[in-house]
Amino acid sequence: MKSFTPYYAVIFTTLRTEGDGGYTEMAGQMEALARVQPGFLGFETARDEVGISVSYWESLEDIARWKENARHLEAQRMGREKWYEHYTLRICKVEREYSFDKPPEE
């Protein structure tokens, strides 16, 4: 049996305002910055009418440090002021994970 170490997921669900207003550039900067933070494990995002971004972290302490990063604090402020109509952030402990990959066709 494969061993598994629990980790944390930060699920950020958003409803955006109209227009870009520098959002795309800042989002790219935040992803790049998050990737070099201690405890960062990965990132996934999808957007249609509602955006969902999930970052994965080793510990709650790593998440707290990321939340207080000076550049990230600036992005949070700008998000509240101009990019988001609404957002919800959830922090979850991942106890298990499963995945499936379709085998290549021969």
Side-chain angles (χ1 to χ4, degrees), residues 68-96:
E68 296 304 319
N69 175 284
R71 185 69 175 133
H72 187 212
L73 285 169
E74 175 66 12
Q76 292 170 51
R77 183 190 61 76
M78 292 174 70
R80 287 187 300 274
E81 289 178 5
K82 65 191 237 182
W83 295 320
Y84 300 122
E85 291 288 336
H86 169 82
Y87 68 79
T88 301
L89 188 128
R90 298 169 178 93
I91 298 175
C92 309
K93 185 174 184 179
V94 179
E95 297 281 345
R96 255 180 234 131

Side-chain angles (χ1 to χ4, degrees), residues 30-47:
M30 289 302 99
E31 182 180 346
L33 184 58
R35 289 184 180 282
V36 298
Q37 299 306 302
F40 178 84
L41 299 172
F43 180 77
E44 299 171 322
T45 190
R47 173 161 297 284

Side-chain angles (χ1 to χ4, degrees), residues 1-4 95-98:
M1 179 175 194
K2 184 177 173 183
S3 70
F4 181 84
E95 297 281 345
R96 255 180 234 131
E97 73 177 39
Y98 302 89

Side-chain angles (χ1 to χ4, degrees), residues 4-11 56-60 63 90-97:
F4 181 84
T5 302
Y7 58 92
Y8 293 86
V10 177
I11 305 167
Y56 302 98
W57 300 87
E58 290 179 2
S59 72
L60 292 172
I63 294 167
R90 298 169 178 93
I91 298 175
C92 309
K93 185 174 184 179
V94 179
E95 297 281 345
R96 255 180 234 131
E97 73 177 39

